[in-house]
Amino acid sequence: MNKYISKIFLVAITSLSLVSCHDLDLNPLSSGSTGNWYSSAKEIQMSVNKLYDMTYWRQEGDNQTDWSDDTVYRDALTAFENGTINSEDWIVGLHWRTNFQMISYANGIINTYQKALDRGANKAEVMQYVAEAHFFRAVAYGRLITRFGDVPYFTEELTIPEGMAKGRTAKSEVLKHVYEDFDYAINILPTKTTTFDRVTKGAALAYKARTALYLGDYQTAATASKAVMDLGVYALHDNYRDLFLQHTKVSKEFIFVRPRSINMKIDVITAGQVKNKVVRNAGGWASTDPSWNLLAAYTCTDGLPIDESPLFDSHEPFKARDPRCAMTIVPFNEPFLGYVYNPSPAATTVLNVKTGKQEYNNDTRINKQYASFNGLAWKKGIDESWLENGYTAENPIILMRYADVLLMYAEAKIELNEIDATVIDAMNSVRARAYGVDKAQTTSYPAFTILPQTDMRKQLRMERRMELAGENLRFADLIRWRLAEVVMKQKQYGMLYPATECLTKVVNTGNWFWPITPDIDENGCPDFTKMEATGLIQVLSQRQWDNRQYLWPIPSKDIDRKSTRLNSSHEIPS
């Protein structure tokens, strides 16, 4: 990333915090005197730049990977996994507050940009920034109605009492305005931009598609995602693993990303975050790990789920699997970050591939109690560069990429039961890239073919999970597919403990890694009940679920208790 541009961005953020009319400490709405601000294109640019801040893009408001069935943190559970989310939970307040702050900033720009035009500012430049503001407002309201249902809707600048006195607007009505904002942005934003990672027409179309998909408007989702495809601007990165590594700063697959910079100290992946994922032999903690559920979800190289494929061997779970499995989760007995990775309690030493010598194995629980509780570790986006710079990293934050758009298009068309060659082409494009071949080489990978809607739905959901694992999208998928009530009631599993029992009862009896193959249900989700019954695996935790968590409560401190409208009930999305 260009350091000069980065400095300009940082100065803009700092300046805006000093002179803008909006106070980020006000919660959830803000107001103030605009004075002479927004009087030039530069001032409007500085204002809209604030909306690019990661305050508003922090994993779309919560850590959606940790709040899904794709990961475990040892034997601990989040409030969401415990079924205890309530109006006082900090993440509920954060999501509500930051999205309304986005809206407030955007409203200020949209309502006052004429001042700059009246003073002779370049109209094309100003209107691009205004279009960006419409995009950000659409994203924020889209998130709010997805998470909270009916919400207060406003486009003017309000005092806090005025804002809190407003009742909720129906979700359907807000969504119409969201589409209007997206369309405004789509009509003005450029198809390509050479400036500092600004939103484009493609980003606006892609987020319109995502918003529509999340809210079950499949026709709009299909139309918007197809429009992204028809732009001819984006394509899949040649190599799946390479796409997520920190040396990949630019890619034809990126639609909307936020850059990180260690040198400029911009949104760096901190040492704590790095070590939570890095294996212990390389100096990490391996505390946040892929779940057994995720490992079981990858199909075999014949395209079949593991309980149907004759290729699957529960004792060698990485063998004959979709290539993305070994690109996302560290395979056993293969070099990674300088050491052969082997979590088996029989592997008390492992090979240091740099020295060629056997060393004490920190990644087995027979040596280290807090090694990965389930034997798995993340690989996606991680390489030896993560061990440099004091265990910090600067992988770009990929918020929207082309593979997601292809899968959104396919899903929307499947749900509309309009399954045709374009659906198969989109899904095959994604899968073929994983296998490193052209999609036309259908004998070189398990290509999709047209099947009945129920079968296509299962295949799409499994493909989406394999492709997007660890990208903070699984949580939203579980919510909109109404699968949270199934998978978020399930137990989390790991290796038998104490590790000496795992050695004697599992390894020494030939039952490592899994004693049997788990069943895969109609949604592509594994069931470990039979495996648990063998007594050869460990229950790490028991998740809880309450259907009320499909929608979140308004934060208690933001409720105007005098407003009966604000306290009115709202629907659960079907």
Side-chain angles (χ1 to χ4, degrees), residues 370-395:
Y370 289 101
S372 173
F373 280 28
N374 66 2
L376 305 183
W378 286 106
K379 183 178 179 181
K380 189 172 183 177
I382 302 171
D383 63 6
E384 292 201 15
S385 66
W386 272 41
L387 311 183
E388 303 166 358
N389 300 303
Y391 289 90
T392 58
E394 57 181 17
N395 306 54

Side-chain angles (χ1 to χ4, degrees), residues 225-434:
S225 53
K226 184 63 164 61
V228 178
M229 297 157 64
D230 290 343
L231 288 175
V233 173
Y234 307 104
L236 296 176
H237 197 79
D238 292 337
N239 183 287
Y240 180 82
R241 167 141 172 83
D242 181 74
L243 175 64
F244 305 100
L245 298 177
Q246 65 175 316
H247 67 247
T248 303
K249 307 299 185 187
V250 177
S251 171
K252 55 192 175 183
E253 187 164 344
F254 293 164
I255 296 178
F256 187 50
V257 302
R258 305 305 311 128
R260 290 184 168 108
S261 173
I262 293 173
N263 289 337
M264 300 302 299
K265 299 180 180 180
I266 298 175
D267 300 315
V268 174
I269 304 175
T270 65
Q273 293 169 318
V274 166
K275 290 188 174 185
N276 272 337
K277 288 189 173 182
V278 166
V279 296
R280 297 178 75 88
N281 281 324
W285 302 324
S287 53
T288 300
D289 304 308
S291 65
W292 280 11
N293 299 68
L294 178 60
L295 175 60
Y298 287 88
T299 57
C300 290
T301 52
D302 55 8
L304 295 174
I306 60 174
D307 64 340
E308 298 179 25
S309 174
L311 303 177
F312 183 69
D313 183 349
S314 63
H315 305 310
E316 295 186 70
F318 290 93
K319 182 180 178 181
R321 304 296 296 281
D322 183 289
R324 287 165 294 191
C325 182
M327 296 182 200
T328 302
I329 305 172
V330 182
F332 302 155
N333 301 313
E334 291 189 13
F336 183 61
L337 303 183
Y339 295 84
V340 170
Y341 182 71
N342 191 342
S344 169
T348 56
T349 64
V350 289
L351 180 68
N352 181 322
V353 296
K354 294 181 179 179
T355 65
K357 297 179 180 180
Q358 291 287 320
E359 293 187 10
Y360 187 79
N361 185 7
N362 293 293
D363 282 309
T364 174
R365 295 196 76 191
I366 206 163
N367 286 345
K368 294 292 183 180
Q369 176 183 355
Y370 289 101
S372 173
F373 280 28
N374 66 2
L376 305 183
W378 286 106
K379 183 178 179 181
K380 189 172 183 177
I382 302 171
D383 63 6
E384 292 201 15
S385 66
W386 272 41
L387 311 183
E388 303 166 358
N389 300 303
Y391 289 90
T392 58
E394 57 181 17
N395 306 54
I397 305 161
I398 306 172
L399 296 167
M400 182 69 73
R401 61 185 179 94
Y402 189 54
D404 191 4
V405 170
L406 292 174
L407 294 178
M408 287 194 291
Y409 172 75
E411 180 180 347
K413 294 286 282 185
I414 289 169
E415 293 303 325
L416 291 168
N417 206 14
E418 297 175 358
I419 304 168
D420 57 19
T422 65
V423 173
I424 301 304
D425 185 74
M427 294 174 67
N428 278 340
S429 296
V430 174
R431 178 165 284 186
R433 188 267 298 273

Side-chain angles (χ1 to χ4, degrees), residues 76-128:
L77 295 174
T78 64
F80 179 78
E81 292 172 305
N82 268 320
T84 58
I85 284 289
N86 58 45
S87 62
E88 296 183 356
D89 194 281
W90 71 273
I91 200 71
V92 173
L94 177 67
H95 198 75
W96 177 266
R97 180 175 64 254
T98 55
N99 281 293
F100 271 119
Q101 287 170 349
M102 279 184 75
I103 292 163
S104 185
Y105 270 99
N107 285 346
I109 296 163
I110 293 167
N111 293 334
T112 57
Y113 74 87
Q114 185 62 43
K115 187 186 303 182
L117 296 181
D118 291 344
R119 297 191 179 191
N122 182 283
K123 183 175 182 179
E125 182 181 3
V126 168
M127 296 314 295
Q128 177 174 332

